Amino acid sequence: MAGLVHSIEELVGHTPLMELDRFERQQQCGAHLLAKLEFFNPTGSVKDRAALSMLNAAEEAGLLKPGGTIVEQTSGNTGIGLAAFAAERGYKLDIFLERGASLERRLMLLAYGARLLDYKDATGERPETKRTHPWQEPEREATLDEIAAYCRRTGAYFNNQAANPANPEAHYRTTGPEIWQDTEGHVDILVCMAGTGGTGFGTASYLRSRNPNLQVVLVQPHPDSRLTPEHPDAQIIDGVLPAYDVPESALSDYLRPDWSDACINVRTEEAYETAHEVLRAEGLFLGTSAAAALHAAVQVGRRPENQGKNIVVIVPDNGMKYLSTPMYRQK
């Protein structure tokens, strides 16, 4: 039967592109806001694309053996994608979770059979344990060097999405071409947020290869919405990091300002408000980073020079993994 699929891997990609007509009018935005709805991927986020691409690349390179263990540091979505495909292919998965990951993401990882590890597991300060209280924040995050040392000690494969070329390659090969096809080549501006930078870098690279005049706007958390010594209790935008006006040492291989033309800072509270506005206008239930990107896209779309242009917004996931966060508890 031609309509059947036989693996969740066949469900990755080919996500819809939706114009937010009602929201545009409500926000008095003269541009066309086109939302790339990545929560239609099988585990609910854009990171399924990169997770599958990185897993395939590791197998092709002989870095993963049957029954082996994959290790990743993640705020949740990449880990969830890896967990689904690892379960399907018979791999184990160890996750060093970043601070700020929602309870729903932690529980999903555990449901897939992943182990949530602590930096002390990486440093060898205590025996490796299965975390029994997934809602607890780690005392601190493990560094990449500590995780690499853990992998050498245990013989596990460190996926390291922040420096893995199969991460942006997934979006150059799939996300960018899908957007180009669905807009029939009429895409003027790309708005996206970045964690590792793989989604934006790969998508922008493809679209620029077709339209050298493409404008790329990178959305980043406002300084008030970042965990710093000055704001230790800040409500953050999960999985999103700044690339502009930060030390060079804070940048990763793909999280760099040079693949974008401009940036917009968004406060977490602004993302929360936009999430509720688009929920009422379009019935779309968005995650924090998606709402932040949409908030920025509205600012771009209101500019006189952008009237009538097509603005594509990457919507990484929906609100299902954020029900325990203040975004959906506050109203």
mmCIF file of all heavy atoms in Angstrom, residues 40-74:
data_model
loop_
_atom_site.group_PDB
_atom_site.id
_atom_site.type_symbol
_atom_site.label_atom_id
_atom_site.label_comp_id
_atom_site.label_asym_id
_atom_site.label_seq_id
_atom_site.Cartn_x
_atom_site.Cartn_y
_atom_site.Cartn_z
ATOM 1 N N PHE A 40 5.524 19.469 13.508
ATOM 2 C CA PHE A 40 4.938 18.330 12.801
ATOM 3 C C PHE A 40 5.939 17.190 12.616
ATOM 4 O O PHE A 40 5.574 16.131 12.091
ATOM 5 C CB PHE A 40 4.378 18.770 11.453
ATOM 6 C CG PHE A 40 3.017 19.401 11.551
ATOM 7 C CD1 PHE A 40 2.884 20.751 11.830
ATOM 8 C CD2 PHE A 40 1.878 18.636 11.402
ATOM 9 C CE1 PHE A 40 1.632 21.342 11.935
ATOM 10 C CE2 PHE A 40 0.620 19.213 11.504
ATOM 11 C CZ PHE A 40 0.496 20.576 11.772
ATOM 12 N N ASN A 41 7.195 17.373 13.009
ATOM 13 C CA ASN A 41 8.146 16.263 13.009
ATOM 14 C C ASN A 41 7.753 15.245 14.082
ATOM 15 O O ASN A 41 7.029 15.574 15.029
ATOM 16 C CB ASN A 41 9.562 16.802 13.255
ATOM 17 C CG ASN A 41 10.155 17.423 12.007
ATOM 18 O OD1 ASN A 41 10.328 16.764 10.990
ATOM 19 N ND2 ASN A 41 10.465 18.718 12.083
ATOM 20 N N PRO A 42 8.224 14.001 13.991
ATOM 21 C CA PRO A 42 7.651 12.923 14.818
ATOM 22 C C PRO A 42 7.782 13.103 16.323
ATOM 23 O O PRO A 42 6.898 12.678 17.060
ATOM 24 C CB PRO A 42 8.372 11.663 14.331
ATOM 25 C CG PRO A 42 9.551 12.135 13.565
ATOM 26 C CD PRO A 42 9.157 13.454 12.996
ATOM 27 N N THR A 43 8.868 13.716 16.822
ATOM 28 C CA THR A 43 8.922 13.940 18.267
ATOM 29 C C THR A 43 8.612 15.386 18.621
ATOM 30 O O THR A 43 8.785 15.801 19.757
ATOM 31 C CB THR A 43 10.289 13.547 18.885
ATOM 32 O OG1 THR A 43 11.268 14.561 18.610
ATOM 33 C CG2 THR A 43 10.764 12.204 18.375
ATOM 34 N N GLY A 44 8.127 16.149 17.642
ATOM 35 C CA GLY A 44 7.588 17.465 17.939
ATOM 36 C C GLY A 44 8.522 18.633 17.834
ATOM 37 O O GLY A 44 8.205 19.702 18.364
ATOM 38 N N SER A 45 9.661 18.490 17.148
ATOM 39 C CA SER A 45 10.551 19.649 17.028
ATOM 40 C C SER A 45 11.421 19.567 15.789
ATOM 41 O O SER A 45 11.614 18.499 15.199
ATOM 42 C CB SER A 45 11.437 19.793 18.272
ATOM 43 O OG SER A 45 12.657 19.091 18.133
ATOM 44 N N VAL A 46 11.990 20.720 15.447
ATOM 45 C CA VAL A 46 12.914 20.831 14.319
ATOM 46 C C VAL A 46 14.150 19.963 14.514
ATOM 47 O O VAL A 46 14.791 19.552 13.541
ATOM 48 C CB VAL A 46 13.313 22.319 14.120
ATOM 49 C CG1 VAL A 46 14.152 22.825 15.296
ATOM 50 C CG2 VAL A 46 14.051 22.539 12.807
ATOM 51 N N LYS A 47 14.483 19.654 15.767
ATOM 52 C CA LYS A 47 15.715 18.929 16.051
ATOM 53 C C LYS A 47 15.680 17.482 15.588
ATOM 54 O O LYS A 47 16.718 16.812 15.542
ATOM 55 C CB LYS A 47 16.058 19.015 17.546
ATOM 56 C CG LYS A 47 16.373 20.429 18.014
ATOM 57 C CD LYS A 47 17.533 21.024 17.226
ATOM 58 C CE LYS A 47 17.907 22.411 17.723
ATOM 59 N NZ LYS A 47 18.724 22.396 18.919
ATOM 60 N N ASP A 48 14.509 16.970 15.216
ATOM 61 C CA ASP A 48 14.454 15.627 14.638
ATOM 62 C C ASP A 48 15.294 15.549 13.367
ATOM 63 O O ASP A 48 15.916 14.518 13.077
ATOM 64 C CB ASP A 48 13.014 15.236 14.301
ATOM 65 C CG ASP A 48 12.202 14.863 15.520
ATOM 66 O OD1 ASP A 48 12.768 14.832 16.627
ATOM 67 O OD2 ASP A 48 10.989 14.623 15.373
ATOM 68 N N ARG A 49 15.299 16.626 12.591
ATOM 69 C CA ARG A 49 16.067 16.636 11.345
ATOM 70 C C ARG A 49 17.550 16.441 11.633
ATOM 71 O O ARG A 49 18.221 15.603 11.013
ATOM 72 C CB ARG A 49 15.869 17.958 10.607
ATOM 73 C CG ARG A 49 14.443 18.234 10.141
ATOM 74 C CD ARG A 49 14.385 19.597 9.479
ATOM 75 N NE ARG A 49 13.040 20.037 9.139
ATOM 76 C CZ ARG A 49 12.491 19.920 7.935
ATOM 77 N NH1 ARG A 49 13.158 19.360 6.943
ATOM 78 N NH2 ARG A 49 11.266 20.375 7.705
ATOM 79 N N ALA A 50 18.081 17.250 12.552
ATOM 80 C CA ALA A 50 19.507 17.166 12.880
ATOM 81 C C ALA A 50 19.836 15.853 13.567
ATOM 82 O O ALA A 50 20.876 15.245 13.298
ATOM 83 C CB ALA A 50 19.915 18.345 13.756
ATOM 84 N N ALA A 51 18.964 15.409 14.481
ATOM 85 C CA ALA A 51 19.235 14.167 15.211
ATOM 86 C C ALA A 51 19.384 12.990 14.252
ATOM 87 O O ALA A 51 20.325 12.192 14.359
ATOM 88 C CB ALA A 51 18.120 13.899 16.217
ATOM 89 N N LEU A 52 18.471 12.879 13.301
ATOM 90 C CA LEU A 52 18.537 11.774 12.338
ATOM 91 C C LEU A 52 19.763 11.915 11.448
ATOM 92 O O LEU A 52 20.457 10.926 11.166
ATOM 93 C CB LEU A 52 17.265 11.752 11.498
ATOM 94 C CG LEU A 52 17.160 10.626 10.478
ATOM 95 C CD1 LEU A 52 17.256 9.257 11.149
ATOM 96 C CD2 LEU A 52 15.851 10.744 9.685
ATOM 97 N N SER A 53 20.051 13.126 11.010
ATOM 98 C CA SER A 53 21.216 13.362 10.155
ATOM 99 C C SER A 53 22.513 13.008 10.868
ATOM 100 O O SER A 53 23.398 12.351 10.301
ATOM 101 C CB SER A 53 21.235 14.837 9.726
ATOM 102 O OG SER A 53 22.396 15.142 8.985
ATOM 103 N N MET A 54 22.645 13.409 12.121
ATOM 104 C CA MET A 54 23.868 13.136 12.878
ATOM 105 C C MET A 54 24.017 11.652 13.175
ATOM 106 O O MET A 54 25.131 11.111 13.114
ATOM 107 C CB MET A 54 23.878 13.959 14.169
ATOM 108 C CG MET A 54 24.018 15.458 13.929
ATOM 109 S SD MET A 54 24.179 16.466 15.429
ATOM 110 C CE MET A 54 22.517 16.323 16.133
ATOM 111 N N LEU A 55 22.911 10.989 13.464
ATOM 112 C CA LEU A 55 22.965 9.552 13.721
ATOM 113 C C LEU A 55 23.381 8.798 12.459
ATOM 114 O O LEU A 55 24.242 7.893 12.510
ATOM 115 C CB LEU A 55 21.591 9.079 14.204
ATOM 116 C CG LEU A 55 21.473 7.635 14.688
ATOM 117 C CD1 LEU A 55 22.469 7.328 15.781
ATOM 118 C CD2 LEU A 55 20.056 7.364 15.162
ATOM 119 N N ASN A 56 22.813 9.160 11.324
ATOM 120 C CA ASN A 56 23.190 8.505 10.061
ATOM 121 C C ASN A 56 24.671 8.732 9.755
ATOM 122 O O ASN A 56 25.371 7.807 9.319
ATOM 123 C CB ASN A 56 22.332 9.049 8.919
ATOM 124 C CG ASN A 56 20.915 8.498 8.943
ATOM 125 O OD1 ASN A 56 20.655 7.450 9.521
ATOM 126 N ND2 ASN A 56 20.001 9.206 8.308
ATOM 127 N N ALA A 57 25.147 9.962 9.969
ATOM 128 C CA ALA A 57 26.544 10.270 9.682
ATOM 129 C C ALA A 57 27.486 9.474 10.582
ATOM 130 O O ALA A 57 28.539 8.996 10.134
ATOM 131 C CB ALA A 57 26.792 11.770 9.851
ATOM 132 N N ALA A 58 27.112 9.327 11.851
ATOM 133 C CA ALA A 58 27.954 8.568 12.780
ATOM 134 C C ALA A 58 28.027 7.104 12.382
ATOM 135 O O ALA A 58 29.097 6.470 12.440
ATOM 136 C CB ALA A 58 27.419 8.709 14.204
ATOM 137 N N GLU A 59 26.905 6.538 11.963
ATOM 138 C CA GLU A 59 26.911 5.146 11.524
ATOM 139 C C GLU A 59 27.749 4.973 10.259
ATOM 140 O O GLU A 59 28.541 4.023 10.150
ATOM 141 C CB GLU A 59 25.482 4.675 11.280
ATOM 142 C CG GLU A 59 24.677 4.487 12.553
ATOM 143 C CD GLU A 59 23.279 3.964 12.301
ATOM 144 O OE1 GLU A 59 22.812 4.038 11.136
ATOM 145 O OE2 GLU A 59 22.652 3.479 13.256
ATOM 146 N N GLU A 60 27.577 5.896 9.320
ATOM 147 C CA GLU A 60 28.336 5.803 8.065
ATOM 148 C C GLU A 60 29.834 5.917 8.305
ATOM 149 O O GLU A 60 30.636 5.300 7.585
ATOM 150 C CB GLU A 60 27.865 6.894 7.101
ATOM 151 C CG GLU A 60 26.458 6.660 6.565
ATOM 152 C CD GLU A 60 25.892 7.878 5.872
ATOM 153 O OE1 GLU A 60 26.654 8.858 5.664
ATOM 154 O OE2 GLU A 60 24.694 7.872 5.525
ATOM 155 N N ALA A 61 30.224 6.699 9.320
ATOM 156 C CA ALA A 61 31.643 6.878 9.629
ATOM 157 C C ALA A 61 32.191 5.782 10.532
ATOM 158 O O ALA A 61 33.373 5.787 10.875
ATOM 159 C CB ALA A 61 31.862 8.242 10.288
ATOM 160 N N GLY A 62 31.335 4.835 10.933
ATOM 161 C CA GLY A 62 31.780 3.748 11.795
ATOM 162 C C GLY A 62 31.991 4.147 13.240
ATOM 163 O O GLY A 62 32.677 3.427 13.991
ATOM 164 N N LEU A 63 31.410 5.267 13.651
ATOM 165 C CA LEU A 63 31.606 5.750 15.016
ATOM 166 C C LEU A 63 30.628 5.129 15.994
ATOM 167 O O LEU A 63 30.826 5.218 17.208
ATOM 168 C CB LEU A 63 31.455 7.278 15.050
ATOM 169 C CG LEU A 63 32.442 8.055 14.175
ATOM 170 C CD1 LEU A 63 32.094 9.539 14.159
ATOM 171 C CD2 LEU A 63 33.872 7.842 14.684
ATOM 172 N N LEU A 64 29.576 4.510 15.479
ATOM 173 C CA LEU A 64 28.582 3.844 16.322
ATOM 174 C C LEU A 64 28.496 2.378 15.951
ATOM 175 O O LEU A 64 28.382 2.033 14.777
ATOM 176 C CB LEU A 64 27.213 4.498 16.132
ATOM 177 C CG LEU A 64 26.838 5.645 17.058
ATOM 178 C CD1 LEU A 64 25.510 6.256 16.620
ATOM 179 C CD2 LEU A 64 26.770 5.204 18.503
ATOM 180 N N LYS A 65 28.583 1.531 16.947
ATOM 181 C CA LYS A 65 28.462 0.090 16.751
ATOM 182 C C LYS A 65 27.130 -0.393 17.325
ATOM 183 O O LYS A 65 26.558 0.254 18.208
ATOM 184 C CB LYS A 65 29.622 -0.645 17.444
ATOM 185 C CG LYS A 65 31.011 -0.140 17.023
ATOM 186 C CD LYS A 65 31.266 -0.338 15.541
ATOM 187 C CE LYS A 65 32.680 0.124 15.162
ATOM 188 N NZ LYS A 65 32.905 0.064 13.699
ATOM 189 N N PRO A 66 26.614 -1.512 16.854
ATOM 190 C CA PRO A 66 25.343 -2.027 17.378
ATOM 191 C C PRO A 66 25.355 -2.114 18.894
ATOM 192 O O PRO A 66 26.303 -2.618 19.501
ATOM 193 C CB PRO A 66 25.238 -3.416 16.736
ATOM 194 C CG PRO A 66 26.005 -3.276 15.447
ATOM 195 C CD PRO A 66 27.154 -2.359 15.768
ATOM 196 N N GLY A 67 24.305 -1.582 19.519
ATOM 197 C CA GLY A 67 24.191 -1.613 20.974
ATOM 198 C C GLY A 67 25.021 -0.565 21.683
ATOM 199 O O GLY A 67 25.060 -0.544 22.922
ATOM 200 N N GLY A 68 25.674 0.323 20.940
ATOM 201 C CA GLY A 68 26.546 1.324 21.545
ATOM 202 C C GLY A 68 25.771 2.416 22.264
ATOM 203 O O GLY A 68 24.538 2.469 22.255
ATOM 204 N N THR A 69 26.525 3.316 22.905
ATOM 205 C CA THR A 69 25.944 4.400 23.695
ATOM 206 C C THR A 69 26.263 5.744 23.057
ATOM 207 O O THR A 69 27.418 6.027 22.722
ATOM 208 C CB THR A 69 26.474 4.380 25.138
ATOM 209 O OG1 THR A 69 26.110 3.147 25.762
ATOM 210 C CG2 THR A 69 25.892 5.539 25.957
ATOM 211 N N ILE A 70 25.243 6.552 22.888
ATOM 212 C CA ILE A 70 25.365 7.919 22.389
ATOM 213 C C ILE A 70 25.307 8.867 23.575
ATOM 214 O O ILE A 70 24.514 8.668 24.504
ATOM 215 C CB ILE A 70 24.216 8.251 21.415
ATOM 216 C CG1 ILE A 70 24.155 7.227 20.280
ATOM 217 C CG2 ILE A 70 24.339 9.673 20.870
ATOM 218 C CD1 ILE A 70 22.844 7.261 19.505
ATOM 219 N N VAL A 71 26.133 9.891 23.551
ATOM 220 C CA VAL A 71 26.131 10.904 24.610
ATOM 221 C C VAL A 71 25.894 12.265 23.971
ATOM 222 O O VAL A 71 26.473 12.580 22.928
ATOM 223 C CB VAL A 71 27.461 10.909 25.386
ATOM 224 C CG1 VAL A 71 27.530 12.077 26.364
ATOM 225 C CG2 VAL A 71 27.638 9.591 26.132
ATOM 226 N N GLU A 72 25.033 13.068 24.597
ATOM 227 C CA GLU A 72 24.781 14.417 24.095
ATOM 228 C C GLU A 72 24.520 15.372 25.250
ATOM 229 O O GLU A 72 24.012 14.971 26.303
ATOM 230 C CB GLU A 72 23.579 14.421 23.144
ATOM 231 C CG GLU A 72 23.280 15.759 22.473
ATOM 232 C CD GLU A 72 24.438 16.290 21.642
ATOM 233 O OE1 GLU A 72 25.387 16.837 22.242
ATOM 234 O OE2 GLU A 72 24.395 16.150 20.406
ATOM 235 N N GLN A 73 24.887 16.626 25.039
ATOM 236 C CA GLN A 73 24.473 17.712 25.921
ATOM 237 C C GLN A 73 23.371 18.477 25.203
ATOM 238 O O GLN A 73 23.515 18.853 24.040
ATOM 239 C CB GLN A 73 25.644 18.643 26.228
ATOM 240 C CG GLN A 73 25.289 19.753 27.223
ATOM 241 C CD GLN A 73 26.443 20.696 27.460
ATOM 242 O OE1 GLN A 73 27.020 21.229 26.517
ATOM 243 N NE2 GLN A 73 26.802 20.890 28.718
ATOM 244 N N THR A 74 22.257 18.727 25.882
ATOM 245 C CA THR A 74 21.094 19.273 25.199
ATOM 246 C C THR A 74 20.176 19.956 26.192
ATOM 247 O O THR A 74 20.186 19.647 27.389
ATOM 248 C CB THR A 74 20.323 18.146 24.472
ATOM 249 O OG1 THR A 74 19.120 18.661 23.899
ATOM 250 C CG2 THR A 74 19.965 17.023 25.414
#
